[in-house]
């Protein structure tokens, strides 16, 4: 029934509607009246549902809450596991892959099958997974779920197919990597330790095979017990009982010594000749105190002991500092001979790994770099230079340098903008990096054919703006802009900004960018707007400041009698906010009672400042305190370079600024914009104090005010991560409760302010939180000289249109359905040297709505989308052609009109996680995908669509997730992604020499199959672990079989299939044997029965 009703809704709402002059049309499709004839709107819609498919493309940024690290020394690729079950695999720039465990369990450990194109992950739900990396989108081949034991440590020897798995109970199990089945061979904890030992040794924290003999396994237990287990003899060679807990163990490559790190900050070196006591005990950071005792030190969480031919061995460890050094940052210590270098880190160390030239553990290791995984950064240290410089990281791991508070996404930018931003941004790059190439250089990636210039802009809590080159599914930082440089640093005693926002007074709330004119506008949380122009030259400039009083309501307690005729506003008998213009900014004043009034939140620099090439601030607009109340957050912004105008609004009203003449043209409350055309009968206000708090709400209601209150908090506050409430009251009775009507969206464009207009004129479209659309016509001088001197006149508001709920987006189409771009000014560098032959004049580009379709008549289509509804109006008649109710149970968070497949559509993202596209102008549903099961404030704040069928959002505080909703891009995605696996010959092991091999034991004679195979060890208990075939099993490998490694992959598939057939054959053989035994038994019984009978008795 529900589906059928939806179909009926689609039929009724897509029928032509009446004129939208009254609120009665706001909740339904309207009564059919004289609709425009087909001749008037002859739009051939080309988009169909087959053009759309939703899929993730690539994830950028630092893996959020990392937990594990692994490196393949032959393939030279790096894997990072995270707490949410994600795995990021990185190679050369462009090779960047994200995988996600379906369970979402934290990744405990990662192990590459070196040079095999596979990865084993151990997760917190005690499951092992085998990932196939021989395809561009890795898939799980097998999983093994442990039922009775918890996994604590895994070790996979090089070129072995048997994985050692240590558990919390102290047992060691062995898993066949090919079949992902447990071997019957188990090293039980009570066999590993002596029977006389009374206490449990604790969980297994280390497993490794001896470099001298692969048949010897070193097992480290948390309590301090170390056992070398002879796998052939199934007994312990030696046992060490040390009184300090063990965190890690590392072998010398000759296999005669190993080093342990302990919880008391000590390192112990053990010699296999004498294991009764350590050969050496050192406290690298523990000094001897005056009383002769050692300082107590923090645990050394990991140590690596690596040898080098040309120099002393390297001992590298994390932690171990003395406790008394409070405030010391986390450290990585490099001991090289007698030299000790302590590298201080900005964040706690999660894991580190030394990169060595050889994959063999019995050769001289030759370390050349250390990868250090921090809680919020990835650092690679060059060990080949004595000062240990870090490598310059080619991946964008610093998106979260300051928390991201807003995003913007621009596809198909002007081709010259990326090189010029890069050239200016490159001048401010840090220096002092290692001169060597980035060592994580595996995989292959080529620039695909489906690329075009794309830019992502991120705004941050510290007021910084970052421009990123996002072309060809990569991400590279181009340019960074610090908006805080416009303002004076607040003095410690003042704290004016702190009274509005406790922290981050410069936090960016929204940005508006015109790539053609290169004009850039930033809205900050302290109710400020900064306008920037781009220049290739440095300049001396004085920032112009405008101050606007946009506080339309006295917050004093008022009686009904005083407010009877003026229910909404009571500001000295005037409905309009009073503009307050100062140039330059001056300190505000206070009333005798100490109440702040007519002062901005921040102080703009009032002196001439030298600005470098790039974006240079030209104008700052600030809202003022009124009667001790801070200004309300700015909720909407639009800028038009052709008009030279900037408009912004909040929950009190709207203001329009002429940024060429630096004047305020309009500053008016939302109610005053209506004039006599107010569609609502507003009730008188109850006599109560209705002060709007800036502390914020986490639940969103139908009234936009609560969204503004949420925005008014510091964007970095934790409660932003709280989930949305799924229900919003759709009743318009909220108007009775609170008449504040926020301006939620603004758009400049050529349109018709009134039905009677014959020609389009510059207009400002205003959308409010009550679903009202207002048009404000403007008259702008066309001559350049006149434009700088004559005032822009703004007429009284014209049309009033209605929709359900808060208005989010406007767009304009011509009468053949093509998108009308906003007019713009072509960029010119105002700081460039004057050329007398070519005077700098403003060059404007206009897109007239009636230029290309004379036969179709004048006019254009206006697409208006609100939180619940989309409508298409024909201008200037203002008749509603199409209506679509987008959602009843949720609400739209983001809506954009975008170009896809040489056409346009309306793309919407809802609070319930649905991503939808609607055709234009008919608003037919083309796609509706339940993409995100739960949406939180971070995603809501950062989700944005762009042209070409792309979108992005902040999937975690440190990562940007890009998605596509275009079928064409989904089809081409394989071509655009990098290859993780490249066929490389495994380096040969060095010739060990006759004597060394003879006396040192020969590791190559050890056959694990003989010991761990089913024939020798039997089958493991079925209840211990459960094998789960992966979705990327044989089918996944068949995909990988095409390409450069086809033969190898086919051989693997054949082996796998052969193994499956052998397994089936074995089962059939077992059945035949059982059948034969049964037959033999019956035959024997028959023989006994008939033994004494004569032949004639049968």
């Amino acid at each position: 029934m529900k589906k059928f009703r939806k179909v009926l809704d689609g039929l009724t709402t897509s029928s032509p509607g009446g004129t939208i002059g009254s609120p009665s049309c706001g909740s339904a499709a309207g009564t059919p009246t004289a609709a425009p004839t087909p001749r008037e709107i002859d739009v051939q819609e080309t988009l169909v549902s087959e053009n759309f498919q939703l899929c993730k493309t690539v994830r950028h940024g630092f893996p959020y809450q990392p937990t594990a690290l692994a490196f393949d020394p032959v393939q030279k690729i790096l894997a990072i596991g995270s707490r949410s079950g994600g795995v990021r695999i990185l190679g050369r720039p462009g090779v960047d892959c994200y995988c996600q465990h379906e369970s979402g369990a934290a990744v405990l450990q990662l192990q590459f099958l070196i040079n095999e194109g596979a990865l084993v992950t151990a997760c917190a739900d005690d499951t092992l997974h085998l990932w196939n990396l021989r395809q561009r989108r890795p898939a799980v081949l097998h999983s093994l779920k442990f039922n009775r034991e918890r996994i604590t440590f895994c070790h996979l020897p090089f070129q072995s197919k048997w994985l050692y798995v240590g558990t919390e109970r102290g047992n060691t199990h062995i898993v066949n990597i090919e079949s992902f089945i447990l071997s019957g061979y188990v090293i039980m904890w009570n066999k590993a330790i002596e029977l006389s030992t009374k206490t449990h040794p604790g969980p297994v924290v280390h497993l490794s095979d001896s470099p001298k003999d692969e048949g010897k396994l070193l097992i480290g237990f948390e309590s301090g017990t170390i056992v070398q287990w002879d796998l052939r003899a199934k007994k312990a060679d030696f046992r060490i009982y040390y009184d300090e807990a063990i965190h890690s163990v590392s072998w010398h490559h000759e296999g005669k010594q190993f080093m342990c790190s302990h919880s008391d900050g000590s390192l112990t070196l053990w010699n296999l000749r004498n294991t009764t006591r350590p050969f050496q005990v050192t406290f690298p950071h523990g000094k001897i105190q005056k009383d002769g005792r050692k300082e107590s030190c923090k645990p050394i969480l990991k140590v690596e002991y690596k040898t080098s031919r040309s120099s002393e061995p390297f001992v590298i460890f994390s932690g171990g500092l003395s406790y008394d050094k409070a405030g010391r940052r986390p450290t990585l210590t490099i001991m090289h001979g007698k030299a000790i270098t302590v590298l201080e880190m900005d964040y706690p160390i999660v894991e580190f790994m030394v990169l060595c030239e050889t994959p063999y553990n019995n050769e001289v290791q030759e370390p050349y770099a250390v990868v250090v995984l921090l809680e919020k950064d990835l650092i690679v240290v060059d060990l080949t230079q004595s000062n240990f410089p870090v490598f310059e990281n080619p991946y964008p791991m610093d998106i979260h340098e300051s928390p991201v508070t807003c995003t913007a996404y621009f596809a198909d930018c002007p081709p010259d903008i990326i090189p010029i931003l890069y050239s200016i941004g490159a001048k401010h790059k840090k220096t002092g990096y290692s001169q060597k190439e980035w060592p994580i250089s595996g995989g292959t990636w080529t620039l695909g054919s489906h690329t075009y210039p794309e830019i992502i802009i991120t705004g941050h809590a510290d007021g910084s703006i970052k421009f990123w080159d996002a072309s060809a599914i990569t991400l590279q930082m181009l340019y960074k802009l610090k908006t805080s440089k416009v303002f004076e640093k607040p003095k410690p005693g003042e704290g004016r900004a702190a009274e509005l926002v406790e922290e981050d007074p410069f936090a960016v709330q929204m940005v508006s960018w015109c790539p053609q004119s290169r004009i850039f506008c930033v809205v900050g949380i302290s109710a400020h707007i900064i306008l920037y122009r781009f220049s290739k030259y440095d300049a001396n400039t004085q920032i112009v400041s405008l101050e606007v009083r946009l506080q339309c309501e006295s917050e004093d307690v008022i009686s009904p009698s005083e407010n009877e005729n003026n229910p909404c506003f009571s500001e000295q008998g005037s409905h309009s906010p009073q503009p307050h213009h100062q140039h330059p900014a001056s300190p505000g004043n206070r009333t005798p009672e100490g109440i702040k009034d007519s002062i901005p939140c921040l102080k703009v620099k009032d002196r001439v400042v030298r600005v470098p090439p790039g974006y240079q601030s030209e104008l700052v607009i600030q809202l003022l305190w009124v009667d001790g109340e801070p200004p309300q957050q700015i909720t909407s912004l639009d800028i038009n370079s052709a008009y030279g105008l900037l408009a912004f609004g909040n929950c009190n009203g709207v203001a329009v600024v002429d940024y060429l003449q630096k004047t305020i043209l309009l500053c008016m409350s939302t109610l005053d914009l209506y004039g006599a055309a107010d569609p609502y009968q507003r009730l008188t206000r109850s006599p109560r104090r209705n002060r709007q708090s800036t502390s914020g709400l986490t639940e969103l209601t139908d009234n936009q005010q609560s969204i503004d209150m949420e925005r008014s908090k510091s964007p970095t506050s934790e409660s932003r991560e709280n989930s949305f409430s799924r229900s919003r009251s759709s009743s318009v009775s909220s108007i009775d409760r609170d008449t504040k009507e926020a301006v939620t969206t603004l758009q400049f464009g050529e349109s018709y302010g009134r039905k009677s207009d014959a020609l389009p004129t510059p207009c400002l479209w205003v959308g409010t939180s009550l679903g009202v659309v207002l048009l404000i016509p403007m008259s702008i001088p066309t001559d350049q000289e006149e434009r700088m001197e004559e005032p822009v006149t703004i007429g009284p508001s014209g049309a009033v249109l209605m929709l359900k709920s808060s208005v989010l987006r406007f767009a304009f189409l011509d009468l053949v359905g093509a998108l009308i771009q906003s007019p713009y000014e072509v960029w010119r560098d105002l700081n460039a040297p004057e050329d007398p032959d070519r005077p700098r004049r403003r060059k404007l580009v206009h897109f007239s709505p009636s230029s290309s379709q004379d036969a179709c008549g004048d006019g254009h289509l206006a697409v208006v989308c609100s939180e619940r509804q989309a409508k298409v109006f024909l201008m200037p008649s203002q008749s509603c052609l199409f209506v679509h109710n987008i959602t009843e149970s949720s609400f739209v968070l983001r809506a954009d009109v975008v170009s896809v497949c040489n056409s346009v559509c309306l793309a919407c993202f809802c609070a319930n996680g649905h991503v939808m596209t609607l055709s234009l102008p008919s608003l037919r549903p083309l796609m509706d995908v339940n993409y995100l099961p739960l949406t939180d404030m971070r995603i809501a704040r950062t989700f944005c669509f762009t042209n070409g069928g792309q979108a992005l959002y902040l999937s975690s505080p440190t990562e940007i997730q890009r998605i596509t909703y275009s079928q064409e891009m989904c089809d081409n995605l394989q071509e655009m992604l990098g290859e993780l696996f490249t066929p490389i010959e495994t380096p040969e092991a060095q010739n060990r020499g006759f004597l060394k091999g003879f006396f040192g034991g020969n590791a190559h004679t050890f056959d694990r199959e003989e010991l761990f195979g089913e024939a020798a060890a039997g089958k493991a208990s079925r209840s211990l672990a459960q094998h789960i075939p992966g979705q990327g099993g044989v089918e996944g490998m068949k995909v990988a079989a095409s390409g450069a490694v086809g033969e190898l992959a086919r051989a693997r598939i054949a082996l796998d299939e052969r193994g499956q057939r052998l397994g089936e054959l074995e089962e059939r053989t077992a059945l035949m044997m059982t059948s034969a035994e049964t037959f033999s038994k019956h035959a024997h019984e028959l023989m006994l029965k008939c033994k004494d009978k004569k032949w004639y008795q049968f």
Side-chain angles (χ1 to χ4, degrees), residues 504-535:
D504 306 322
F506 310 113
V508 178
Q509 277 192 299
M510 64 181 88
V511 296
S512 179
W513 186 46
C514 175
Q516 286 80 13
S517 64
R518 302 185 189 172
I519 285 193
F520 185 60
C521 222
V522 178
V523 173
I525 200 166
S526 297
H528 64 272
I529 300 170
I530 311 171
L531 185 139
Y532 290 90
R533 282 185 184 268
F534 188 82
S535 175

Side-chain angles (χ1 to χ4, degrees), residues 263 326 392 400 464 518 684 868 872 884 904 909 921 928 939 1063:
S263 56
E392 186 175 4
H400 62 284
S464 60
R518 302 185 189 172
T684 54
R868 296 184 188 277
V872 176
H884 179 73
V904 288
F909 174 60
D928 185 352
I939 295 172

Side-chain angles (χ1 to χ4, degrees), residues 34 75 200 207 228 300 335 397 442 470 557 627 644 827 851 899 926:
Q75 287 290 320
H200 189 279
L207 292 166
Q228 181 166 290
I300 293 177
M335 296 169 66
M397 293 288 182
V557 177
D627 298 330
W827 174 71
S851 58
S899 61
L926 296 169

